[in-house]
């Protein structure tokens, strides 16, 4: 039996929490995200419209913009506090637009060629919101790449992961990391979610604390 999920608040609104998140060193997991996205999806064409769901302070959006200069990127998040930091950290000549949107929300007129998301799923009380957004906001060529935390087997393992990966971080970040691990979904739960949403995505565990779901919408 796996440990029961303990939900955490959806939006990250608190100033200290947002500042700690934006200042944290996510080099390892975020470069892993970019490498896996390239490996699983290959090159998705020289240009297109990409969507970063739950973009937060925008680190993944900016990495994508730097790696794929022909693409336009919409970064969507429900937290104005996060988006203010994202805008501060993004150069003026950017290909990224940030949009404050609380999901679920109606699909925009323009559908996307690529949708990616990092660490949004575990925030959602109803995980179906992410998969329905992906289905409704994608065009028929759209490629999908979602990465999130994986709920550990028990609290002891969750605490050990915090010690291993966030030993020197501020308390607010360690607290958030622990609660995010406890709120995360298992790979089996994610497989069931994508099946229910009728999305033909593959679900793979890619590290001791991360899982990805990826593939084509059509
Ligand atoms: C852990 S952060 C991840 C940020 C970013 N993707 C990254 O990898 O650094 C999760 C983000 O999802 C946002 N979020 C949570 N629930 C949301 C919802 N229902 N609608 C829009 N954004 C949401 C939070 O405000 C937060 O900025």
């Amino acid at each position: 039996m796996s440990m029961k999920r303990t939900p955490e608040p959806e939006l990250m609104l608190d100033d200290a929490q947002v500042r700690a998140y934006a200042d944290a060193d996510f080099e390892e997991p975020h470069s892993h995200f970019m490498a896996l996205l390239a490996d699983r999806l290959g090159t998705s064409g020289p240009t297109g419209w990409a969507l970063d769901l739950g973009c937060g302070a925008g680190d993944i959006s900016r990495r994508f913009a730097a790696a794929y200069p022909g693409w336009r990127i919409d970064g969507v998040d429900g937290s104005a506090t996060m988006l203010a930091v994202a805008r501060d950290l993004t150069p003026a000549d950017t290909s990224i637009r940030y949009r404050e949107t609380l999901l679920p929300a109606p699909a925009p007129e323009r559908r996307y060629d690529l949708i990616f998301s990092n660490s949004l799923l575990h925030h959602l009380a109803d995980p179906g919101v992410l998969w329905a957004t992906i289905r409704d906001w994608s065009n028929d060529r759209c490629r999908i790449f979602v990465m999130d935390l994986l709920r550990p087997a028990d609290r002891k393992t969750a605490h050990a992961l915090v010690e291993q990966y966030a030993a020197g971080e501020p308390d607010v970040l360690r607290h958030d990391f622990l609660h995010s691990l406890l709120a995360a979904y298992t790979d089996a739960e994610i497989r069931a979610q994508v099946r229910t949403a009728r999305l033909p995505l593959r679900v793979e565990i890619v590290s001791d604390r991360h899982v990805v779901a990826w593939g084509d919408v059509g």
Side-chain angles (χ1 to χ4, degrees):
M1 263 285 275
S2 67
M3 171 176 63
K4 202 167 163 289
R5 174 173 189 264
T6 308
E8 66 170 354
E10 289 208 345
L11 296 184
M12 295 175 71
L13 296 166
D14 177 71
D15 277 330
Q17 176 192 41
V18 167
R19 185 36 69 194
Y21 193 86
D23 289 347
D25 180 5
F26 288 120
E27 173 54 30
E28 194 264 328
H30 287 189
S31 56
H32 193 204
F33 179 101
M34 292 304 298
L36 289 169
L37 182 143
D39 182 70
R40 297 303 191 274
L41 299 186
T43 50
S44 309
T47 60
W49 283 83
L51 171 65
D52 182 357
L53 281 173
C55 64
D59 186 57
I60 299 271
S61 294
R62 287 187 295 280
R63 284 172 191 260
F64 185 86
Y68 301 93
W71 284 69
R72 308 294 306 270
I73 301 125
D74 284 346
V76 162
D77 202 285
S79 165
T81 324
M82 272 290 188
L83 292 177
V85 175
R87 290 190 180 103
D88 270 359
L89 294 173
T90 302
D93 61 343
T94 184
S95 51
I96 308 169
R97 298 184 306 191
Y98 293 108
R99 296 264 189 261
E100 185 184 337
T101 305
L102 178 64
L103 301 170
E109 228 161 82
R110 176 191 296 284
R111 304 292 205 270
Y112 292 93
D113 304 296
L114 171 65
I115 299 180
F116 54 86
S117 178
N118 184 50
S119 280
L120 167 64
L121 179 64
H122 71 266
H123 281 274
L124 299 172
D126 174 5
V129 165
L130 174 61
W131 308 114
T133 304
I134 286 174
R135 216 187 32 236
D136 297 346
W137 294 32
S138 54
N139 66 25
D140 56 8
R141 306 173 299 283
C142 187
R143 320 209 70 198
I144 310 299
F145 187 82
V146 172
M147 181 157 123
D148 212 287
L149 292 168
L150 182 66
R151 190 165 77 249
D154 49 44
R155 278 186 172 259
K156 191 170 162 226
T157 311
H159 281 280
L161 288 168
V162 174
E163 283 320 307
Q164 186 173 353
Y165 294 108
E169 298 287 1
D171 283 349
V172 60
L173 200 78
R174 289 164 56 83
H175 172 278
D176 274 3
F177 184 32
L178 176 66
H179 287 88
S180 294
L181 287 166
L182 302 179
Y185 293 95
T186 65
D187 57 320
E189 288 166 349
I190 296 171
R191 271 190 203 96
Q193 292 164 16
V194 299
R195 234 185 354 258
T196 303
R198 296 178 179 278
L199 285 170
L201 304 182
R202 291 185 55 174
V203 177
E204 287 176 67
I205 294 177
V206 291
S207 81
D208 56 357
R209 62 203 188 287
H210 290 114
V211 57
V212 295
W214 59 277
D216 297 334
V217 139

